[in-house]
Amino acid sequence: MAAGASGYADILKAPHAARLLTGTLVGRLPNATAHVAIVLFIRAEGGSYTLAGALAAVYGLATAVGQPLLGRLVDLHGQPRVQLPAAVVSALGMALFAVTGVVPLPVAYAAVIVAGLFTPPLEGGLRALWPNVLGHREDRVHRAYAMDAIAQEIMFTVGPLLVTLLVWLFSPAAALLVINAVGVAGALSVVLSEPSRTWRSAPREAHWLGALRSPGLLALLGSFFFVGLALGSITVAGVAYADDHGRASVYGWLMAALGLGALVGGAVYGARQWAGAPERRLRVIVGLLALGYLPLMLTPGVTAMTALGAVAGVFLAPAIACAFIVVDRHAPRGTVTEAFSWLVTTFGVGAAVGTAAAGPAVELGGTVAGFAVAGAGGLAALLVLLATGRVLAVPGRSAHIASGDENDRSGAVEPGFSSGHQA
C-alpha cells in the first residue's frame, strides 16, 4: 500500500493534476448533492415526499440526457466554451428553483430540468485530460482513473453531509444556492487551467451516432447499466433492512460500509500495475462484484450485514476504474468526452431503474427480494460482458495510437492506449 500511496502522490505532483482533480470534484458537487438538496428544500416548503421524489427524478433524467449531448459539444468545440457556460446555466436553473419554490409547479419542474440538462460533463472532461497531463503513460493514467473513482466515493459521502450542514446553519434554499455557486467556481478553476484550455479532441468522422457507433462501447454500456441497477436497488433494500431492525442509523452504517469497501478496493486496485487486456480483467472484476452482492440476500444481524456491505463495495471502484480504460480503448476517434459521458449516463439510468424496481420487490417479497434485485443486476452485468467478449476484443493492439490532443504529438503512447481514439 505504501507503494500505491507514493504512486498516487506522484500523480498529484504532476503539473495541473491536483488542480484538475479538485476543481472537477468541486464542480460536480451540485450533481452529487442534488437529490438530497431537492428533497430537503421541498419538505421545507411544505411539499410531499412524492413531489420531492418526482422533482429529484426529473433532475436525474435531465442530467442523463444532457451529459452525452454536452460531451459531444466538448469534443467538437473544446472544454472552456462548453463546460463553463453549462455550469452557469445549470446554477441559474437551480437558483430559480430556490427562489420560486414549488409555486407555480411548472416553473419548479422547468427549473430542475434546466439545472439537470446543463450539468457540465466535468467527469468525462477530466478523463479526457489525464493522458496529456500525465505524459501519455498508460500506468500513470490507469492509476489516475483509480484515484478518480476513489475521489468520487469521498465526494458522494461528504457532499450530502455538507448540504445537511448548510441547511442546519442557514436554510435549504441557501444550501441550493451555495452548493451551485461553489460548483461554478470548480468548473471555472478547471477551464482556466492550461490543459483544459489547450486540449483538442482528435478529428472525428461525422456520424449522428457519435460514440455510440462503437460496438465495444455499447457492450460496456449494457453491462454498466446493470451495475448501476444493482447499486440503485441496494439503496432501497438497505432502507427496508433498517426498518426491519427498527433503527434508521442501520441504513447509514450499511451505506458507509459500501463506501468504505469501495475506497479500499479502489486504493488497492490502483496501487499496482496490471498486465493483460483490461477487457478480460473487467470480466473478472465484475464477476467478483456480482459475487459480492449475492450474500446480501442472507440479511444477517447488523454487524454481519455491515461486514457483507463492505465486501460488496470492494470491487465497485476497481470496476469503474477498469471501465474507464475500456471506454478509452473503444471510443471512436474524436469522441472521448462523449463516450465517458455515456458511461456516466448509463450508470445513472441503471441506478434509477434499480431504485424503482427494488421498491415493488420489497413490497412483494420483503427485504431479501430487494437485495435479490442487486444480485440479479450484478449477474446480468457479468453475462453481458461474457456474451459480448468478441465485440469487446480490441483489434490492432500493436498499431500506433495517436494522442487525443492535436496540439501535442510528442508523447510516446504505449500500444493499445488510445486516449480515447482508435487509429
Side-chain angles (χ1 to χ4, degrees):
M1 287 300 295
S6 63
Y8 292 129
D10 175 62
I11 290 170
L12 291 175
K13 288 178 182 178
H16 311 289
R19 172 180 176 175
L20 288 171
L21 179 63
T22 303
T24 297
L25 292 175
V26 171
R28 293 182 60 220
L29 268 178
N31 181 242
T33 61
H35 60 294
V36 175
I38 289 173
V39 170
L40 292 176
F41 176 70
I42 292 299
R43 292 298 294 158
E45 291 287 300
S48 66
Y49 281 110
T50 299
L51 176 61
L55 283 166
V58 166
Y59 173 88
L61 290 173
T63 303
V65 171
Q67 287 293 288
L69 296 178
L70 291 172
R72 181 176 295 195
L73 290 176
V74 167
D75 288 326
L76 290 172
H77 304 293
Q79 294 197 4
R81 294 174 64 183
V82 178
Q83 303 276 37
L84 184 58
V88 171
V89 173
S90 178
L92 289 175
M94 199 59 83
L96 175 63
F97 177 59
V99 171
T100 61
V102 296
V103 180
L105 192 56
V107 173
Y109 275 103
V112 297
I113 287 173
V114 168
L117 194 62
F118 285 92
T119 298
L122 293 168
E123 189 175 356
L126 175 63
R127 288 159 199 160
L129 294 176
W130 279 132
N132 292 330
V133 172
L134 300 176
H136 305 283
R137 283 181 50 188
E138 182 175 5
D139 58 332
R140 299 181 79 197
V141 175
H142 198 169
R143 182 165 288 143
Y145 286 161
M147 184 175 66
D148 192 353
I150 294 169
Q152 284 188 69
E153 294 298 328
I154 296 174
M155 180 188 66
F156 279 97
T157 301
V158 174
L161 296 177
L162 178 59
V163 171
T164 304
L165 177 63
L166 289 171
V167 169
W168 180 68
L169 291 175
F170 304 106
S171 69
L176 281 170
L177 294 171
V178 170
I179 288 293
N180 280 271
V182 169
V184 172
L188 181 64
S189 175
V190 170
V191 301
L192 289 180
S193 68
E194 181 183 352
S196 180
R197 287 186 290 106
T198 58
W199 180 86
R200 295 294 182 272
S201 177
R204 59 189 284 153
E205 175 190 348
H207 197 290
W208 69 276
L209 280 175
L212 294 182
R213 69 182 183 273
S214 165
L217 180 62
L218 289 175
L220 180 69
L221 296 181
S223 175
F224 269 72
F225 168 84
F226 289 109
V227 173
L229 183 148
L231 196 62
S233 65
I234 288 176
T235 62
V236 175
V239 173
Y241 178 84
D243 289 342
D244 291 344
H245 289 76
R247 286 184 289 163
S249 61
V250 170
Y251 177 74
W253 282 109
L254 184 56
M255 293 300 104
L258 281 167
L260 177 62
L263 286 173
V264 172
V268 172
Y269 176 79
R272 58 162 294 178
Q273 297 183 30
W274 298 89
E279 292 82 4
R280 290 196 296 270
R281 184 164 64 250
L282 183 62
R283 286 195 289 271
V284 174
I285 295 173
V286 171
L288 293 171
L289 181 66
L291 193 62
Y293 287 150
L294 294 176
L296 295 175
M297 290 187 290
L298 298 173
T299 60
V302 174
T303 301
M305 190 64 173
T306 302
L308 289 179
V311 172
V314 165
F315 293 99
L316 178 61
I320 294 173
C322 191
F324 296 161
I325 294 292
V326 176
V327 169
D328 201 41
R329 287 158 63 91
H330 286 271
R333 183 178 176 87
T335 67
V336 58
T337 311
E338 180 189 344
F340 280 128
S341 299
W342 272 117
L343 183 64
V344 175
T345 286
T346 305
F347 189 87
V349 171
V353 172
T355 301
V362 169
E363 291 178 358
L364 293 173
T367 302
V368 173
F371 285 116
V373 175
L379 291 174
L382 175 61
L383 289 175
V384 170
L385 291 179
L386 292 175
T388 58
R390 293 182 62 184
V391 173
L392 280 167
V394 179
R397 285 189 176 86
S398 62
H400 173 73
I401 305 296
S403 164
D405 185 348
E406 291 300 299
N407 296 330
D408 180 6
R409 295 295 185 184
S410 60
V413 186
E414 297 186 26
F417 186 66
S418 65
S419 292
H421 317 296
Q422 293 182 351

